Amino acid sequence: MSELWVERHRPRTVGEIRGQASVVQRLSSYANLLDFPHLLFAGPPGTGKTTAAMALTRDVFGPDFRNNLLEMNASDERKLESIRTKVKQFARTAPYGDAKFKIIFLDEADALTHDAQGALRRIMEQYAQTCRFILSCNYSSKIIEPIQSRCAVFRFRPLADIEVSDQVKAVAKSEGIGLDDEAAEALVRISQGDLRKAITALQVAAALEKNISRSLIYETSATAPPESLHQYLMACRQDGFHAARRRLRELLDKYGLAGTDFVNQLHRELYGADFLSEIQKLELTELMAEIDFRLVEGGGESIQLDALTARLSKLLS
Amino acid sequence: MVASDWTERHRPASERQLEGNEAQRKKIRTWLDQWQDGIPDKPGILLIGPPGVGKTTVARAVAADMGWQVIELNASDSRNAGAIRKAATHASTHGSLFMTPGKKPPKTLILLDEVDHLSGGLRAISTERISSLVSGENTDNSKELKGDSGGKAELLNLLSNTRQPVILACNDEMGLWGRTSSTWRTARDRFTRHLITIRFDRASDEALRRIAMRVIKEEGFTADPGAIDELVSNNPGDLRALVRDLQVMCTLVDSNLTKELVRENIETGVRDTTVEIFPGLDVLYRSRTATKAMTAARSLDKSPDDMVAWISWNNGVVFTEKEAIRRGSYSLSLADQLLTTRFRNTAHRSWYWGSNLAGLSASVTTSKPVEGRIFCTYPGFLRRGSSWVKKSVVNRLAETCGCSTKAVREELLPALVAVQSDNSEDFSISMALQLSPEEHAAISGLKLSHRSTKKLMENYAIELENLLSIKDVEEPVSEGLIEDLSEEENKDSGQKTLF
C-alpha cells in the first residue's frame, strides 16, 4: 500500500466523476468544446471541487496538462504581492505547446485577502485570451462580488448517502477488500457527505483486515457508533452521574476518542434523539458548544467532560 | 484573434453602443467637449458603480471615440508613487512625441481602475525618491517602494497637475477616501476638487434583455423569450455576469436556447447576490424541529458569522414572544463568543457550533409556530453607510444653525426626529431646511421602500418644487436656448478645423 487511495481512485476525466450530475453535465460540454470561461466552484469539503478542476484540465490539455497549469492553494503564499507577480507572470506568457490557453487553479480562494482578490479581477479580464481561472471555495460569500460576476458559478452539493456508499463499495472492490452493507453504512455516517473522509477511513481499516466489519470501521476511525452514544445519554437520564461517567470512560478508551471528538459526535446524535424536546436540544447544544469551546481553548479534558456529564444528568433526569 | 470570451468579444467599442445610464453618459460627453477646447477645471472623472455595469468599458470606449491613447493601471499592477508618476510622465511625453505639426497633440487617457483597492495611504513620498525611481537611477534597494506606498498622494499630485484626461473607476468610493472616520471627509474634498463624480446604476432589465438578444444573434443562436427573461432575472443589473451565463448556456445547445434548459442550469450556477436568502429564512423560521431547522440553515449558504448577524437582526422582527427573543439572543451571543476563536484556532469547530446555535435560535425558541407572512429584512448594521441620509441632514443642520456636527447629532437631531416621527405629513421644518424628499423621509423615521413613503416623498417633492420656484427670482433659462447656443459653438469649431 504505497499510495493514498483517494489519489489512486480520483476520477481522471470529467466523465468519470460520480454524483453532482448537473455540474458534471455542464463541465463535460466544456470538455467536448475544449474551451470554457472562468469558473468558480463553491461547496463543502470533499464534494469533488479539486477533482473536477483537475479532470477538466486533463480533458482539455491531455496527459501533459501540468505544463499549462498553475495550481495554488492556501499553503502557498498568496498575498497581494504574489498575485501581482506570480499569477500575473504566469497569465501573461503564451501557453506551452499547441494549447490555446493556460489554466490557473486557485484552490481555497476564500482564503485570499480582499486586496488580493481585488488584484485578481482585472487580471482575469485582461488575460482572458491566454488564461482561464478556476477558483474553488467553501463559502462563495467570501469571494468578492466583482469576481463572482466574472465567473461561471458551479455549486457542489454534499454527496447523497447512496452516492458515498456506491463509491466506497467500488473502491473496496477494486482493491480486493470485503466490505459488507453495514460497514459501508458506517463509512457513510463517518463521512457526512465527504467522500475523501470515507475513502481514507476505508484505507485505514483495510490496513488491518481484508474483510472489514462495521465495528472495525468505528474503532479505526476514532468514531463512537451511534448506539453507544445513545447508551451514554440514556445513562445520564436514568442511572445518574456515576454510571454515566463510567460509560463515558469506557467509550473514550475503546474508540480512542479525544474530548472534543466525543462532544462533536455526541452532538450529531442529539437532533435524532426522540426523548428530548426541541428546546432541550437547544439547551444541550449550548452546553456542548461551550464545553467544546473550553476544550479547544485548552481546558482540562476530564474536568470538562465530567462537567458535561453532570449537567446532562441534571438536565435530562 | 477573436476573443473566445464573450464578455470581451461583445464589449462595446464606442460610447454610442452603450446601453442605459443616459444621464451619466451625458455628463461624460460634456466633459469630453471641454477637453476639445483645452484643459477643463476638473481634469478627471470618478466613476462609481457596482460590478458589471460598464465602468471600464465606458472609459475605454470614450478613449477610442476621441482617438486618445490609453495608459491603464489597475489593481493587478503595483501602484505606488513611482508607478503613477511614471505613467503620468509617459502620458505627457507620449503626446509630444506623436505630435503632427500644426495639429494639437493627441491626448493620452490615464485610466486608474479599481481605485478603491489602492491600498497605500495619503502620506507623500519625497520627490527625490520618486524621481530616482522613475529615472531608473535607483541602485539602492532599500529605497524601493513596496506595494502601493504613497499611491494616493501621488494620485492627488497627478490630478492637480495633469494636462491629460484622467478617469478613475471604483465600486465603493469609501475605499478611495479611506475608512478612517476622522480623515475621510478631508480626503474626499481633496480629491473631488479635481474630479467629476459620476454614479453608474445597475442596468435596467429592459437594457439587459436588448443586449442579451443582440449577443445571441451575433453568435448565431436563437432563444425563447422566456429563456432570456429567466437569465435576466437571475443577474439583476450585472451585464458581464449575464453575458457570461449566456456563453455557458450556449455551450449546451446547438442553436436554440429554451426556457427549460436555462431554468435547469441556473440552480447550480446562482451567484451570491441572487441566492435567495429571504425564502430560505422563511423556511427556517417555520421549522419546528432542530433537524429541519438545520437543513434550512445549511441551504442559506451564509458563513456562520453572517448567519448570526442575519438571525439576530430578524429574530426581533419575526418573533412576537418576548421569551423567544430572549432565549434566541442568549444562544446567539454564545455563538458569537465561540466564533471569536476562529481567528486563533481552526475555524471549522466554531463554525459548526455557530451555525447550529444560530439555526436553532431562529426556530425552536418560540413556543407557538410562526404563522402568516414573514417579513425578514436586511440587517441594518451589515449595510455600509446606511445612515448617509442622516449624515447629509446633519451637515445641513450644522450649516444652518452654525454649530458642530457633534452637537447636531447629540442634541438637535434626536429632537427633530422626535418631532417629525408622528408628523410625517407636516413638511414645514423640512421645507425650511430645504431637505430632499429622501431626507425628509429619513428624519420622519420612514422606510424608503414602503409604498406609503414613496407617495409621501412624491407629495413632498411637488411642494418643495413649488416653494423653490417662488423663491427663484431669476427666470430659468429654457433648455432650447442652451441647445441652440451649443450648436452654434460646434459649428464654429468645425469651421476652424476646416481651414
Side-chain angles (χ1 to χ4, degrees), chain A residues 22-23 25-27 29-30 33 35-39 42 45 80-81 83-85 88 92 100-101 110 114-130 132 138-158 192 260-261 263-264 267-268 271-272 278-279 281-290 292-294 296-297, chain B residues 1-5 7-8 11 50-52 55-56 60 72 74-79 111 113-114 116-117 119 146-148 171 202 238 240-241 244-245 247-249 251-252 261 264-273 275 288-291 294 301-306 327-328 330-332 334 337-341 344-345 348-349 351-353 356-357 360-361 364-366:
Chain A
S22 57
V23 170
Q25 189 208 347
R26 284 165 67 196
L27 287 182
S29 69
Y30 293 151
L33 279 174
D35 195 3
F36 57 85
H38 301 312
L39 309 175
L80 177 59
E81 289 308 315
I83 292 288
R84 278 180 182 164
T85 51
K88 201 171 177 184
R92 77 197 332 173
K100 278 199 297 181
F101 53 83
D110 35 4
H114 235 62
D115 281 339
Q117 292 191 29
L120 206 54
R121 21 194 298 206
R122 198 69 187 119
I123 302 181
M124 291 176 81
E125 222 159 53
Q126 270 178 327
Y127 304 104
Q129 299 258 3
T130 53
R132 299 288 183 282
N138 290 146
Y139 287 104
S140 61
S141 54
K142 295 279 175 222
I143 304 290
I144 59 173
E145 203 193 332
I147 288 191
Q148 291 195 36
S149 144
R150 284 166 172 79
C151 293
V153 184
F154 288 77
R155 290 192 186 278
F156 287 68
R157 307 275 168 220
Q192 298 178 287
T260 60
D261 293 340
V263 177
N264 280 276
H267 187 255
R268 260 179 254 150
Y271 293 166
E278 298 303 320
I279 195 80
K281 288 177 189 169
L282 172 62
E283 265 162 38
L284 298 190
T285 304
E286 284 168 351
L287 172 61
M288 290 180 194
E290 205 161 342
D292 190 36
F293 174 70
R294 291 183 190 151
V296 171
E297 289 290 286
Chain B
M1 186 170 159
V2 183
S4 57
D5 189 292
T7 54
E8 289 298 326
R11 201 188 264 273
K55 296 182 299 297
T56 314
R60 295 202 154 262
E72 179 180 336
N74 56 55
S76 72
D77 306 297
S78 261
R79 297 187 295 188
L111 172 60
D113 213 348
E114 296 146 16
D116 40 353
H117 286 274
S119 48
K146 291 228 174 66
D148 293 343
N171 299 133
R202 291 206 186 266
D238 191 338
R240 179 175 37 220
R244 173 88 56 214
D245 279 358
Q247 183 177 12
V248 174
M249 301 285 170
T251 57
L252 296 174
L261 181 101
E264 225 170 79
N265 282 288
I266 253 171
E267 205 243 331
T268 41
V270 273
R271 291 185 176 76
D272 252 15
T273 41
V275 168
R288 301 297 298 145
T289 65
T291 318
M294 284 321 294
D301 190 44
K302 288 271 164 210
S303 66
D305 346 8
D306 286 347
R327 195 69 195 76
Y330 177 79
S331 297
L332 287 168
L334 179 64
Q337 186 195 346
L338 301 190
L339 284 170
T340 55
T341 55
R344 281 176 286 142
N345 292 304
H348 304 90
R349 272 287 149 68
W351 275 6
Y352 175 80
W353 294 115
N356 271 279
L357 287 172
L360 292 191
S361 69
V364 302
T365 48
T366 172

Side-chain angles (χ1 to χ4, degrees), chain B residues 70-140:
Chain B
V70 181
I71 293 182
E72 179 180 336
L73 284 177
N74 56 55
S76 72
D77 306 297
S78 261
R79 297 187 295 188
N80 53 41
I84 291 179
R85 176 73 62 87
K86 214 182 258 177
T89 344
H90 189 76
S92 57
T93 47
H94 189 89
S96 51
L97 268 179
F98 290 88
M99 199 172 107
T100 336
K103 264 174 114 185
K104 276 192 211 157
K107 297 279 178 203
T108 301
L109 173 71
I110 303 171
L111 172 60
L112 281 147
D113 213 348
E114 296 146 16
V115 280
D116 40 353
H117 286 274
L118 190 65
S119 48
L122 266 170
R123 205 165 54 87
I125 304 286
S126 74
T127 326
E128 304 92 74
R129 221 171 130 193
I130 295 177
S131 45
S132 79
L133 275 171
V134 175
S135 57
E137 283 164 10
N138 177 39
T139 44
D140 183 2

Side-chain angles (χ1 to χ4, degrees), chain B residues 7 49 59 70 97 111 120 131 153 155 184 188 237 262 279 303 328 331 335 375 422 436 466 471:
Chain B
T7 54
V70 181
L97 268 179
L111 172 60
S131 45
L155 180 57
W184 71 267
R188 180 194 58 188
V262 171
S303 66
S331 297
F375 297 98
D422 288 330
S436 72
N466 289 339
K471 269 195 174 172

Side-chain angles (χ1 to χ4, degrees), chain A residues 35-291:
Chain A
D35 195 3
F36 57 85
H38 301 312
L39 309 175
L40 173 65
F41 294 168
T47 50
K49 298 184 296 297
T50 311
T51 302
M54 288 305 163
L56 181 61
T57 312
R58 194 189 301 261
D59 279 357
V60 173
F61 290 154
D64 291 335
F65 68 103
R66 295 224 173 254
N67 291 331
N68 281 312
L69 173 73
L70 174 69
E71 192 187 348
M72 289 174 94
N73 56 41
S75 65
D76 299 299
E77 203 189 1
R78 297 188 303 179
K79 292 183 307 193
L80 177 59
E81 289 308 315
S82 38
I83 292 288
R84 278 180 182 164
T85 51
K86 206 170 161 189
V87 172
K88 201 171 177 184
Q89 204 60 45
F90 184 83
R92 77 197 332 173
T93 49
Y96 175 87
D98 49 7
K100 278 199 297 181
F101 53 83
K102 295 173 156 189
I103 294 177
I104 297 180
F105 176 47
L106 292 174
D107 210 349
E108 297 155 57
D110 35 4
L112 285 172
T113 63
H114 235 62
D115 281 339
Q117 292 191 29
L120 206 54
R121 21 194 298 206
R122 198 69 187 119
I123 302 181
M124 291 176 81
E125 222 159 53
Q126 270 178 327
Y127 304 104
Q129 299 258 3
T130 53
C131 200
R132 299 288 183 282
F133 281 82
I134 305 177
L135 278 65
S136 93
C137 63
N138 290 146
Y139 287 104
S140 61
S141 54
K142 295 279 175 222
I143 304 290
I144 59 173
E145 203 193 332
I147 288 191
Q148 291 195 36
S149 144
R150 284 166 172 79
C151 293
V153 184
F154 288 77
R155 290 192 186 278
F156 287 68
R157 307 275 168 220
L159 294 179
D161 290 356
I162 183 76
E163 288 169 330
V164 177
S165 92
D166 284 353
Q167 281 299 300
V168 289
K169 280 179 191 161
V171 171
K173 198 175 167 205
S174 82
E175 297 286 345
I177 299 292
L179 182 76
D180 59 22
D181 282 346
E182 269 197 339
E185 196 194 316
L187 282 172
V188 169
R189 253 189 57 82
I190 292 167
S191 74
Q192 298 178 287
D194 181 342
L195 191 56
R196 178 170 34 217
K197 227 185 215 172
I199 295 177
T200 314
L202 176 67
Q203 187 177 11
V204 171
L208 294 175
E209 268 174 57
K210 283 280 166 206
N211 280 311
I212 297 174
S213 67
R214 177 174 183 273
S215 60
L216 182 66
I217 295 276
Y218 280 121
E219 276 164 40
T220 51
S221 63
T223 310
E227 65 275 6
S228 49
L229 293 167
H230 264 271
Q231 280 162 6
Y232 165 74
L233 278 179
M234 290 313 277
C236 288
R237 194 159 110 105
Q238 292 162 352
D239 310 339
F241 174 74
H242 272 287
R245 184 164 68 173
R246 208 174 318 121
R247 207 166 262 290
L248 171 69
R249 294 267 173 274
E250 285 168 18
L251 256 174
L252 296 187
D253 289 347
K254 182 164 184 202
Y255 296 101
L257 299 182
T260 60
D261 293 340
F262 172 74
V263 177
N264 280 276
Q265 289 168 21
L266 185 64
H267 187 255
R268 260 179 254 150
E269 294 308 311
L270 191 69
Y271 293 166
D274 46 15
F275 57 88
L276 295 170
S277 73
E278 298 303 320
I279 195 80
Q280 269 181 320
K281 288 177 189 169
L282 172 62
E283 265 162 38
L284 298 190
T285 304
E286 284 168 351
L287 172 61
M288 290 180 194
E290 205 161 342
I291 296 286

